Amino acid sequence: MTTPRSTTKNDTEESGLKLAVLIDADNAQAAVIEGLLAEIARFGEATVKRIYGDFTAPTSASWKKVLQRYAIKPVQQFAYSTGKNATDSTLIIDAMDLLYTRKFDGFCLVTSDSDFTGLAMRVREEGLTVLGFGEQKTPAAFRNACHKFIFTEVLRPTPRDEVETPVEKPARARKISNTTPSPQPAKLATPSFPKKFVLAALEQSHDDAGWANIAMFGSYLTKLQPDFDSRLYGFKKLSDLVKAKTDLFVTEERPMAGSNQKVLYLRAR
């Protein structure tokens, strides 16, 4: 079986995981698809891209607009009865079929539904990488079942990208319009900075002199808390966060052996 690979990224690391991307249309929003696929590309190649839902329903209208553009295969699933989620069952069955092909290094599960916790754990048991993507409302059980969990709120287009010049419709057109507005992506709620947790991770990752390589530090952060993300605190990269927190860290850039590049090291102040 494929040996699990590290999902921690630093500023210079490249990854070549072959990934199966499975999207729960009932619990994900189309507005973040561009940022989502760009984020997945950081970890590897999206060899399979499938989305599951009832695309005859009005709530799936936003997804139908982007499926062809991003080459995502829709898997239509009608609701057999009220209160039963047939979409979940179909996605899980497909995931197990793909798992046993032995063609993938990992799975990207795009959902905010804790019902996929068991699937994430099962994939991990096979030694594959599990990347989760969902909103901040996603239950901790599913987030912690993944090797790395990324909040989709940080993948939203920036306000600058979303600005469009409004076009005033004639009064009559506004009156007769019955178009249901598309759901808006959830806004990011900035959590308080977990100072104690971050310093504990540094304690586990530093050498005898107290210094830690940024990649090793990032690896420990992810292992201890899969949903840790510097973007939640306003920093694009972990290195940017570390450099900004001068009250917590002392940083130093050291030459990389056999290369012109430099590696960031840090220690507690």
Side-chain angles (χ1 to χ4, degrees), residues 29-89:
Q29 293 186 331
V32 300
I33 187 62
E34 186 173 356
L36 172 71
L37 294 178
E39 185 73 13
I40 290 171
R42 295 176 58 235
F43 298 96
E45 178 187 359
T47 306
V48 166
K49 291 180 288 185
R50 297 181 186 176
I51 184 168
Y52 301 79
D54 183 359
F55 299 101
T56 64
T59 52
S60 298
S62 59
W63 277 112
K64 289 191 287 186
K65 297 177 182 178
V66 301
L67 297 184
Q68 288 187 334
R69 186 190 312 168
Y70 296 103
I72 303 172
K73 179 182 178 181
V75 179
Q76 170 65 29
Q77 182 58 62
F78 295 100
Y80 294 123
S81 60
T82 304
K84 301 294 183 181
N85 197 333
T87 299
D88 290 7
S89 300

Side-chain angles (χ1 to χ4, degrees), residues 12 58 66-67 95 106-108 115 126-127 155 167 176 210 219 221 223 226 242 245 257 261 269:
T12 60
V66 301
L67 297 184
F107 282 71
C108 299
D115 289 347
E126 289 293 325
L155 307 178
V167 178
I176 64 175
S219 177
L221 287 173
K223 288 177 181 177
V242 167
K245 295 290 183 180
Q261 295 180 329
R269 183 170 289 279

Side-chain angles (χ1 to χ4, degrees), residues 84-98:
K84 301 294 183 181
N85 197 333
T87 299
D88 290 7
S89 300
T90 303
L91 191 156
I92 291 171
I93 291 170
D94 263 16
M96 297 308 296
D97 288 342
L98 292 170

Side-chain angles (χ1 to χ4, degrees), residues 172-265:
R172 185 173 182 275
R174 292 198 305 269
K175 187 174 181 179
I176 64 175
S177 176
N178 293 319
T179 303
T180 303
S182 300
Q184 295 300 310
K187 293 184 179 180
L188 176 65
T190 305
S192 58
F193 186 72
K195 178 180 176 181
K196 291 184 178 180
F197 161 72
V198 168
L199 291 177
L202 180 58
E203 177 97 22
Q204 296 294 321
S205 57
H206 67 60
D207 59 20
D208 292 340
W211 290 92
N213 177 298
I214 187 69
M216 183 66 71
F217 176 55
S219 177
Y220 268 93
L221 287 173
T222 301
K223 288 177 181 177
L224 295 174
Q225 188 172 312
D227 59 5
F228 182 86
D229 195 322
S230 60
R231 290 170 293 190
L232 291 173
Y233 310 102
F235 298 94
K236 186 176 180 181
K237 300 177 181 179
L238 178 61
S239 57
D240 295 336
L241 183 152
V242 167
K243 291 176 182 178
K245 295 290 183 180
T246 54
D247 58 324
L248 297 180
F249 308 112
V250 176
T251 60
E252 179 181 290
E253 291 189 345
R254 302 177 185 176
M256 183 184 297
S259 173
N260 294 326
Q261 295 180 329
K262 292 185 177 180
V263 178
L264 182 67
Y265 281 77

